[in-house]
Each structure stands twice: as structure tokens, then as C-alpha cells.
Amino acid sequence: MLSAFLLVFVYACFFLTAFFANSKHTKIKLLKQLGLAIVIFGFLVLNVLYSFIAIYSENNIAQPFVNKWMAETTIFKGSSYWLFYPPILMIIVLFALWTICKYWKKGSQLLKVTAVTCGFLFILCTDLFPWKLLNNSHNQLIETIQFPFRFFVPFTVLLLLAVGLLLEKWHTRSVIFGLISYGLLLLSLFQTGISTNNALNVWHQTESFLNFSVHTYFTSENTSEIKKSFFIKNKVQALQYVVKSTPDYLPVKTVKCKDKYSLYHHQVINKQKYFHKSVKGNKLVVEWEGRSVKNIQVPVIKYTDTILRLNQKMLHTNVKLSRIGTPSVKQRKGHNELVVSYRSDRLLDTILIFNFISWLIVFYMNYKFKFLNE
């Protein structure tokens, strides 16, 4: 969702500039094209939108954690590595700033919009924007952002676009500038080599061969086996050795479930080794051996429309669930099998067919447009 928000924001800056800078006839044409683009986009992602609405309307979905220290994760404080790594980035920033200021009056409209949007995104990355004040307002949109340094990614993209526009118009024929550019390119390659070598040195260490982060766990103490699993063609074993407790978007009982990370670790990750999971058709099959008849917690997640079938018997909707949606079932002595599936309605099937037809129409129109222009 955050990526979509950033994309819409950048598009809006360019669209609004073009809209207000043109005549009434062009404005109407732009609005028609915008409306057509929104309709086409809606048809192409209709299945995603419907699934999103269906899941959220019937379940209390756990949201990503709220960062209470957003002001401490700007590029001027705890996330300053975004600004100084790689080192050549600072040179590009200073060059772009100096050149844009020098040629501002002669610059094209595209360059000016790119520069202004780029500058605003840079401000969003820093303490110049009142993140602490907004964070205390408990606004859901602000809480979705989590880390201000995320604006640095679109800033970098627009920065490179601005540099490209500058070089295209003013510096492409300069021999001295060409030599400097090649020198910076070689410096960048050298810096990339050093970074790769540092990463390899960390990898060869026994204890910290992987960067430790919050809620990341190793399911094996055998360091050599974990390393070997990353060089096998089938990466299933590597994913089983290194797991992360990320309970985002689980069907929690209350939206403000404070210990959901710990619950996911204990109720799902730690219990995986006692169960065997496989996929048959469009269903998840969970198998295990029971030593006695008792109620146990199975490491799967049940949403409102999830169907559970235990040992060939359908479980009713009154299954006892934990705070993060893991079901408790009564096992029998010996082999047990829990089949997990999801109830899809006919409307979704119709939407999928309509969505498929929409993609075919788009591909056909794109091919026809290219064919007519040749």
C-alpha cells in the first residue's frame, strides 16, 4: 500500500503540473485520459480489490507495527547511512543541486517538476518535516509510513532522472566532464567491490554470518548446514532454517494485539517441526502423529472463510482460535490429518474470468496499436 501511495504521489506531481500549465481543451483531454487509465487499472486489478475488501470486511486484520520513534529514523539521525552510502551519492546530490540552481531559468518544465518533487521527497526524509508532531497525532496514514527514510528511494530515482536531463542538455559534449564521469564510474565499481567483499567477510564468520534483525530466528544450530542450504537449487531448506516472526495481516481477535510477534513465534514457528505440511490441489494438508487423545494447537491460520477438515470430518465455525487465529483441534491417537482450504464465492470466479478477459483486451489493443504505427 505504501508503494502505491508513493507512486500515486509522484505521478500526481507531474500530472497536476501538466494540467494547470495547459489550455482548457488540453485539460479536458488530460482528465479523459486520466479517467480512462483509472478504469483500465480498476479492471486489471479487480480481483485484488475484491479479495482485499472481502478479507478486511470479515476479519480483524493485524496491521504492521506502529513506529513510535519515526523522528529518530530520518536520514539525519538513525538512518544516515542512506545519505552517505554509497559515498558517490553525495557527489551526485551536490552536482545536481549546483547545476539545477545554475540553469534553473533555462531548464525545461520537466526538469523543474522533477527537481521540486525530488526536493520535497528529500525533506520528507529529514527532520525538516515535523514527523514527531504527526506521529503523536496517531494518524493512520502517517503510521502506515513507519520509517521516513523510505522516501529516499523515490528521491534517488528522481535525482537520477534530473541528472540525466541535465547531462542530456548541457554536459554531454564536455571532454573534462566525460573524464570525470568515467572516473566516478570506476570509483563506484571499486566501492561495489569493497561492499561485496565486506559482505563475504561477514558471511564467513561463524557467529554472525547473517545480519541479525528483530524477530529473526534460526531453527538449526548447525552453521555449516545453514550456509550450504543457500547454495542448493531448492531453497525450501534455507527458508526453513531462517525464519522471521512477521504476523502482519493475520486475523487477530483485537486489532491492537500487542504481543502478536511473540504469539506467532511460539504458536506457529516453534511448532512447525512437529507437523508435516504439503499442498494437494488447492488445499493445504497438515499431518502429524498423536500420542494420545487431546486438544492441540495446529500451526496454521484460520480466517472467516477458511474451511477445516480434521480426519475426514468437517469442523464447524465454532473452532477455538488463539488471538492470532491458530485453531485448537482434538487429535486422535496415531495419524492425524487436517485439510485447510478457503471458501471462494461465485462472484470471485466471475471476477477472475472478467479480469482475464480484460488482460487479453489490453494485450490485443497494445499489439494493434504497435502494428498500426509500424
Side-chain angles (χ1 to χ4, degrees):
M1 184 180 294
L2 180 60
S3 300
F5 167 74
L6 291 175
L7 184 63
V8 171
F9 170 75
V10 173
Y11 280 170
C13 293
F14 288 88
F15 178 83
L16 291 175
T17 303
F19 180 80
F20 289 110
N22 283 282
S23 61
K24 183 178 180 180
H25 175 74
T26 306
K27 288 180 180 179
I28 296 175
K29 186 177 180 181
L30 287 173
L31 288 175
K32 289 181 179 180
Q33 291 177 344
L34 175 63
L36 180 62
I38 293 175
V39 171
I40 293 175
F41 174 80
F43 285 153
L44 296 180
V45 298
L46 191 60
N47 58 325
V48 179
L49 294 176
Y50 176 77
S51 301
F52 184 85
I53 295 172
I55 293 294
Y56 270 80
S57 62
E58 298 179 353
N59 302 273
N60 288 323
I61 301 299
Q63 299 300 313
F65 79 98
V66 176
N67 183 11
K68 298 180 181 179
W69 299 276
M70 292 182 65
E72 302 300 322
T73 56
T74 62
I75 60 173
F76 285 171
K77 288 188 176 179
S79 302
S80 58
Y81 57 89
W82 285 88
L83 188 60
F84 299 104
Y85 187 85
I88 192 176
L89 183 61
M90 277 300 300
I91 300 176
I92 296 176
V93 171
L94 294 175
F95 165 77
L97 181 62
W98 174 77
T99 311
I100 289 173
C101 292
K102 182 179 180 180
Y103 297 104
W104 179 260
K105 293 183 179 180
K106 299 179 181 179
S108 62
Q109 187 182 48
L110 176 60
L111 175 62
K112 292 179 179 179
V113 177
T114 304
V116 172
T117 307
C118 187
F120 182 68
L121 289 171
F122 183 80
I123 292 174
L124 292 176
C125 301
T126 66
D127 301 343
L128 299 176
F129 196 78
W131 287 115
K132 188 173 182 179
L133 179 63
L134 292 175
N135 199 18
N136 294 332
S137 66
H138 304 290
N139 184 280
Q140 189 173 1
L141 178 60
I142 300 300
E143 292 177 348
T144 303
I145 296 172
Q146 293 182 317
F147 304 102
F149 63 75
R150 287 177 169 173
F151 290 100
F152 201 79
V153 176
F155 159 76
T156 305
V157 174
L158 292 180
L159 173 68
L160 295 177
L161 173 60
V163 171
L165 294 172
L166 291 169
L167 296 179
E168 184 181 32
K169 189 167 185 179
W170 285 294
H171 293 281
T172 52
R173 298 180 181 179
S174 174
V175 177
I176 297 178
F177 187 83
L179 293 175
I180 295 175
S181 299
Y182 281 114
L184 293 176
L185 178 61
L186 292 175
L187 181 62
S188 300
L189 294 174
F190 179 71
Q191 185 268 330
T192 303
I194 293 177
S195 301
T196 305
N197 185 64
N198 291 337
L200 290 174
N201 289 336
V202 174
W203 174 263
H204 288 297
Q205 292 178 10
T206 305
E207 299 297 331
S208 58
F209 58 94
L210 284 177
N211 290 328
F212 287 98
S213 59
V214 181
H215 307 300
T216 300
Y217 306 94
F218 295 149
T219 59
S220 173
E221 296 180 357
N222 192 327
T223 302
S224 60
E225 285 297 323
I226 296 177
K227 290 182 178 181
K228 288 179 182 178
S229 66
F230 284 89
F231 296 94
I232 301 174
K233 185 176 182 180
N234 188 353
K235 296 296 187 294
V236 173
Q237 196 172 19
L239 294 174
Q240 292 174 345
Y241 280 147
V242 183
V243 293
K244 189 168 185 178
S245 176
T246 50
D248 298 343
Y249 310 112
L250 293 185
V252 295
K253 287 188 176 181
T254 57
V255 178
K256 295 182 179 180
C257 184
K258 295 182 179 180
D259 56 345
K260 56 186 177 181
Y261 287 90
S262 176
L263 289 174
Y264 187 79
H265 176 226
H266 292 293
Q267 296 179 8
V268 178
I269 294 176
N270 279 352
K271 293 184 178 181
Q272 296 278 20
K273 57 186 176 182
Y274 303 112
F275 299 83
H276 177 264
K277 295 182 179 180
S278 59
V279 178
K280 295 181 181 179
N282 59 348
K283 300 177 181 180
L284 174 66
V285 180
V286 185
E287 298 174 281
W288 72 96
E289 298 295 325
R291 295 183 179 181
S292 61
V293 179
K294 64 176 182 178
N295 290 326
I296 66 165
Q297 205 170 56
V298 184
V300 295
I301 304 298
K302 183 185 183 307
Y303 291 80
T304 300
D305 290 329
T306 300
I307 301 173
L308 300 177
R309 186 182 293 273
L310 177 64
N311 298 325
Q312 306 300 323
K313 295 182 179 180
M314 182 77 71
L315 298 181
H316 299 289
T317 54
N318 57 350
V319 178
K320 184 180 179 181
L321 302 176
S322 70
R323 281 184 289 172
I324 60 170
T326 54
S328 294
V329 300
K330 190 174 183 179
Q331 71 173 10
R332 65 188 179 188
K333 188 176 181 179
H335 184 74
N336 291 267
E337 181 183 83
L338 179 68
V339 180
V340 185
S341 59
Y342 193 81
R343 184 187 298 107
S344 60
D345 52 24
R346 293 183 179 179
L347 179 58
L348 178 60
D349 296 333
T350 305
I351 288 175
L352 289 174
I353 295 174
F354 186 79
N355 180 254
F356 178 72
I357 295 174
S358 299
W359 278 102
L360 290 179
I361 294 174
V362 169
F363 282 127
Y364 171 75
M365 295 301 295
N366 185 50
Y367 172 78
K368 185 178 179 180
F369 179 77
K370 290 184 178 180
F371 181 77
L372 292 176
N373 288 343
E374 289 181 355

